[in-house]
Amino acid sequence: MEKAINYIQTNYNRGGGYIGMECGLKTIDSATDGFIKKDVVVIAARPSLGKTLLATSICDGLSKNNKVAIFELE
């Protein structure tokens, strides 16, 4: 509970917005509240639905201010 309260307080002190890092895709940023460092994100869906394109778009947006690594298993 203390960790959640600290996140809320930090966000309030910054004036609102996303807690984590923004990727530039507004719908993804809104759904995740930004990506938190050291989190592992798994994108899963049926074949040919654009998972690789989504992952590269997210990483492109995140890489402007952060280090990003992509591991693709096909």
Side-chain angles (χ1 to χ4, degrees):
M1 186 67 154
E2 184 177 336
K3 189 174 183 179
I5 292 172
N6 287 337
Y7 273 134
I8 293 168
Q9 186 65 43
T10 301
N11 193 21
Y12 178 78
N13 291 341
R14 288 185 332 163
Y18 302 114
I19 293 174
M21 302 172 289
E22 296 179 39
C23 70
L25 302 172
K26 296 299 178 191
T27 54
I28 301 294
D29 288 335
S30 296
T32 61
D33 203 21
F35 290 96
I36 307 297
K37 289 184 180 185
K38 298 184 181 179
D39 275 358
V40 175
V41 177
V42 177
I43 299 172
R46 296 184 55 80
S48 299
L49 290 178
K51 296 177 297 289
T52 303
L53 178 63
L54 175 64
T56 53
S57 297
I58 289 171
C59 290
D60 183 46
L62 290 172
S63 67
K64 292 182 170 102
N65 298 318
N66 306 287
K67 294 179 183 176
V68 176
I70 300 175
F71 299 96
E72 184 179 348
L73 306 172
E74 286 196 30

